[in-house]
Amino acid sequence: MRLSLSSLAVLGLLNVASADLHQLIVGTFKTESLYTLEFDDAALTLELIGNFSANAASSWIALSHDKKNLYGTSFTAATPSFVSYTLASATDIIYNTTLEIGCNSSAVSIFAIASSEPPYAVYGCPFVGASNCGAVMSVDENGVLSEVIQDYSYNTSSGVHGMAFDSANDFLYSADDSGNALWTHSVDNTTGELTFVSSVAGPVTGADPRHVTVHPEGQYLYVVLEGANELAQYSIDTTTGIPFFENVTYPLIPSGSANADYWSDEVALSFSNNYLWATSRARNTTNTGYISAFSLSSNGSIATQLFLTPTSSSGGQANAVAPSTFSDEFVALTDSATGFVEVWKLGAENASAVARVDIVDGGCCANAVWYS
Ligand SMILES: *[C@@H]1O[C@H](CO)[C@@H](O)[C@H](O)[C@H]1NC(C)=O
Ligand SMILES: *[C@@H]1O[C@H](CO)[C@@H](O)[C@H](O)[C@H]1NC(C)=O
Ligand SMILES: *[C@@H]1O[C@H](CO)[C@@H](O)[C@H](O)[C@H]1NC(C)=O
Ligand SMILES: *[C@@H]1O[C@H](CO)[C@@H](O)[C@H](O)[C@H]1NC(C)=O
Ligand SMILES: *[C@@H]1O[C@H](CO)[C@@H](O)[C@H](O)[C@H]1NC(C)=O
Ligand SMILES: *[C@@H]1O[C@H](CO)[C@@H](O)[C@H](O)[C@H]1NC(C)=O
Ligand SMILES: *[C@@H]1O[C@H](CO)[C@@H](O)[C@H](O)[C@H]1NC(C)=O
Ligand SMILES: *[C@@H]1O[C@H](CO)[C@@H](O)[C@H](O)[C@H]1NC(C)=O
Ligand SMILES: *[C@@H]1O[C@H](CO)[C@@H](O)[C@H](O)[C@H]1NC(C)=O
């Protein structure tokens, strides 16, 4: 392992390792495969090293806190269900079980997130129009999904598409795309069960919060607005956990573009939490989506939008950005229009794709997680 801090220090980028191999796992929207990719951060190459025959197509996958388990949505199942795998390594994936959640049986599971604090419960929600509910799932001593311990409701108009915890896992925030709202629930740290705290409407009608993430300092929360094609910064009342909008937004499509032609997708913090990434997708595959990064002040407030750069494709249903877990420099970006994963590198004033692997199977690629 070689450290190359000198060039990075100029940019304020943090990097713990260089000249290393890193593995990612990628799910798909339609095919029952989990793909393993390997990224070489010195040679800047990306290779497909594993094709695991999975038990579901997973529109979203999430790692457990210790990366020993992988949870996925069962996107092709007739009832909302979640799949649990044990990871012996990034290529040694073992299917354990599928859990059906009790809420709305005509919806499809869309998103899962694992708590990083005991009891390490997993939270899942279905989507398709208004699906109104979510579920809390317990795990066994090995992190395998065990049982549904709580089915909880949002609103009759709700359809939650993404969720995030604060760093202490005291609160779970839900981005309600169909209901144009942002929900706060408190988390019982013994059982993992949720209690309703608040629901606040999106910034404007049709803003449609899709995904959300919280800065570890706990004072700011960022929401990607699928309909408004903006990134919104909310402040958090640290005593109640409730986010409030202070009219701080940044564009995720160029000015003059029609909102109806895009649907913004993802927001995620970089490895050091000094940067925030966000993406939009184009609804027409003849157009490209966009990727943007922001520099953050130490308390998490957005300092500057660094760039808004066209991606290689529309992104299809994806264009999901996944920052690496070892360096601020690298993020993965997935496309489902033709099926590929790229790794992008952050430079002084912009970012660009430095490695790519095409995975053309008719369903890839949904979201990527960095295993190492
Ligand atoms: C999950 O799979 C692992 C690896 O095969 C196995 O050791 C464990 O017993 C399984 N757990 C359950 C609950 O199936
Ligand atoms: C269940 O989901 C379907 C499909 O989105 C929706 O039409 C229906 O209203 C939902 N039912 C409830 C009780 O939320
Ligand atoms: C539920 O939705 C209704 C109708 O859209 C709205 O008036 C109400 O404020 C919502 N309630 C919550 C808790 O979001
Ligand atoms: C669990 O939550 C209770 C009540 O909010 C709090 O008093 C306690 O400190 C928490 N425990 C841990 C380990 O965070
Ligand atoms: C929000 O900010 C925009 C400019 O960023 C401004 O045009 C608008 O008037 C502001 N709205 C409110 C309610 O302050
Ligand atoms: C996509 O854009 C192309 C080129 O502008 C246009 O011909 C086509 O009709 C558009 N497709 C849809 C579905 O809007
Ligand atoms: C966070 O830091 C910024 C920049 O230093 C400052 O403007 C802002 O007031 C701080 N926010 C809070 C909640 O202290
Ligand atoms: C970033 O790169 C893209 C693609 O090369 C270019 O279109 C864009 O103008 C650049 N943006 C900045 C801020 O340099
Ligand atoms: C992965 O394996 C499945 C099942 O054998 C196969 O259908 C699919 O085409 C493979 N994917 C790639 C990209 O080769």
Side-chain angles (χ1 to χ4, degrees):
M1 192 196 318
R2 149 178 80 77
L3 290 176
S4 63
L5 285 172
S6 51
S7 59
L8 296 173
V10 177
L11 307 175
L13 300 176
L14 277 187
N15 194 5
V16 288
S18 200
D20 265 342
L21 298 175
H22 307 275
Q23 284 99 36
L24 304 97
I25 302 174
V26 179
T28 99
F29 291 106
K30 291 179 186 160
T31 49
E32 298 192 337
S33 284
L34 286 169
Y35 294 103
T36 306
L37 311 182
E38 190 162 74
F39 175 61
D40 181 325
D41 68 19
L44 301 181
T45 54
L46 190 61
E47 261 185 74
L48 180 62
I49 60 164
N51 176 0
F52 173 72
S53 290
N55 290 68
S58 287
S59 63
W60 194 261
I61 53 174
L63 289 166
S64 62
H65 68 106
D66 56 6
K67 301 191 176 183
K68 289 183 175 158
N69 301 88
L70 183 78
Y71 312 109
T73 60
S74 187
F75 199 51
T76 38
T79 54
S81 316
F82 293 86
V83 201
S84 186
Y85 302 95
T86 294
L87 300 178
S89 73
T91 47
D92 191 355
I93 303 172
I94 304 134
Y95 169 73
N96 274 122
T97 189
T98 301
L99 265 195
E100 186 178 331
I101 60 172
C103 76
N104 197 335
S105 61
S106 51
V108 175
S109 63
I110 198 79
F111 187 84
I113 184 171
S115 168
S116 61
E117 296 293 324
Y120 305 119
V122 177
Y123 300 75
C125 57
F127 195 70
V128 176
S131 39
N132 186 30
C133 55
V136 185
M137 294 166 273
S138 63
V139 298
D140 73 12
E141 65 281 10
N142 299 313
V144 176
L145 285 183
S146 178
E147 54 184 321
V148 176
I149 56 168
Q150 184 186 17
D151 278 308
Y152 65 96
S153 293
Y154 292 104
N155 201 351
T156 47
S157 56
S158 295
V160 168
H161 209 296
M163 299 182 280
F165 289 102
D166 67 316
S167 62
N169 285 204
D170 288 334
F171 298 100
L172 180 71
Y173 297 96
S174 302
D176 183 352
D177 201 320
S178 311
N180 188 32
L182 188 59
W183 295 72
T184 306
H185 287 84
S186 62
V187 183
D188 182 312
N189 60 20
T190 320
T191 62
E193 287 181 20
L194 301 178
T195 302
F196 171 77
V197 173
S198 91
S199 163
V200 293
V204 293
T205 304
D208 299 349
R210 183 178 193 274
H211 275 204
V212 53
T213 195
V214 185
H215 190 271
E217 290 298 314
Q219 293 175 328
Y220 293 96
L221 173 152
Y222 322 98
V223 183
V224 66
L225 302 173
E226 181 172 34
N229 290 296
E230 288 175 331
L231 189 275
Q233 170 185 289
Y234 282 65
S235 294
I236 298 176
D237 178 326
T238 51
T239 52
T240 62
I242 299 173
F244 54 98
F245 183 63
E246 294 179 301
N247 200 25
V248 179
T249 59
Y250 296 88
L252 295 179
I253 56 174
S255 65
S257 308
N259 269 333
D261 291 343
Y262 297 89
W263 39 334
S264 289
D265 189 70
E266 178 61 323
V267 56
L269 285 156
S270 76
F271 161 68
S272 72
N273 302 306
N274 290 336
Y275 297 90
L276 185 71
W277 292 82
T279 49
S280 59
R281 304 166 283 181
R283 290 186 185 271
N284 189 326
T285 52
T286 60
N287 296 329
T288 71
Y290 290 87
I291 184 166
S292 187
F294 304 82
S295 61
L296 304 180
S297 63
S298 57
N299 66 17
S301 70
I302 295 174
T304 325
Q305 182 169 23
L306 299 172
F307 52 81
L308 179 63
T309 293
T311 51
S312 310
S313 70
S314 67
Q317 289 175 272
N319 242 18
V321 62
S324 84
T325 48
F326 56 91
S327 162
D328 280 342
E329 280 188 295
F330 300 111
V331 300
L333 191 69
T334 53
D335 165 280
S336 72
T338 58
F340 64 81
V341 178
E342 289 174 340
V343 172
W344 283 58
K345 187 176 182 188
L346 180 61
E349 283 164 4
N350 212 337
S352 58
V354 292
R356 167 169 168 149
V357 65
D358 289 286
I359 307 175
V360 182
D361 76 347
C364 203
C365 300
N367 78 308
V369 293
W370 291 85
Y371 178 78
S372 63

